[in-house]
Amino acid sequence: MSPALMKMWISLASMGFMFLSIILIYLSRYKLKAGVFKIITAIVAYFLMIISGIIIVIVVFSGPTSS
């Protein structure tokens, strides 16, 4: 697999993490009642958002790949 294709899959996974974190934040804020599950859902959501942001920054600032 070429480096460019690998970067594409990594960034796609990062966008998937962002989408999943948006769904989890919505669930924890509006659908779940107060409790431990609500807190765990919010922590997982914010963790995924931070990880996906870091991955996107690394992919963008690593520059173009040679063909």
Side-chain angles (χ1 to χ4, degrees), residues 38-58:
K38 180 178 181 175
I39 295 170
I40 291 173
T41 306
I43 289 171
V44 169
Y46 286 113
F47 178 74
L48 284 174
M49 186 65 78
I50 290 169
I51 293 298
S52 65
I54 291 170
I55 291 172
I56 288 294
V57 166
I58 290 171

Side-chain angles (χ1 to χ4, degrees), residues 1-52:
M1 191 178 308
S2 69
L5 191 59
M6 186 65 88
K7 283 177 69 171
M8 182 202 68
W9 284 113
I10 291 171
S11 64
L12 188 65
S14 178
M15 288 186 277
F17 286 166
M18 285 184 192
F19 182 72
L20 186 60
S21 68
I22 289 170
I23 291 172
L24 290 175
I25 289 171
Y26 176 78
L27 284 174
S28 70
R29 285 190 180 182
Y30 300 113
K31 296 295 181 183
L32 298 176
K33 302 297 178 198
V36 176
F37 192 63
K38 180 178 181 175
I39 295 170
I40 291 173
T41 306
I43 289 171
V44 169
Y46 286 113
F47 178 74
L48 284 174
M49 186 65 78
I50 290 169
I51 293 298
S52 65

